[in-house]
Amino acid sequence: MDFFPEVMLTKGEAELIAQGLLAVARSDGQLHDRELALVQSYYGEVVDDGVMRRLESEWDIAADVLASGLARPPIPMLFIKSAILCAYADGAYHA
């Protein structure tokens, strides 16, 4: 199984995934530098710096908005895999 097959993202999908990952990263009460670096490294090539800075300061995205925006296969699985890695980026995973 290829854990991370190459997936072409639209700018909108990349922005939604970045928003979702930032929500995962903040779920333990703070946004750690490693988590932010991970999100920036994944999506910095598609989502420009100005958008990333805006996303860092926004409220978390609503789950229904994220789900409806990431409906195109294989984008949902890409998000789940990325979210798991993001959750471990600070060295601890909290359920």
Side-chain angles (χ1 to χ4, degrees), residues 4-64:
F4 277 111
E6 187 169 332
V7 177
M8 299 305 293
L9 297 173
T10 67
K11 286 186 179 189
E13 289 168 337
E15 185 173 332
L16 286 170
I17 290 173
Q19 283 180 286
L21 293 180
L22 289 170
V24 168
R26 288 189 289 256
S27 67
D28 66 352
Q30 73 181 101
L31 179 59
H32 298 275
D33 290 339
R34 286 189 204 164
E35 294 164 329
L36 179 57
L38 180 74
V39 175
Q40 289 172 333
S41 71
Y42 278 172
Y43 302 102
E45 294 178 17
V46 179
V47 179
D48 67 51
D49 288 340
V51 172
M52 283 303 299
R53 282 191 297 278
R54 178 179 54 80
L55 295 178
E56 291 168 34
S57 63
E58 282 186 355
W59 291 95
D60 291 342
I61 188 168
D64 60 328

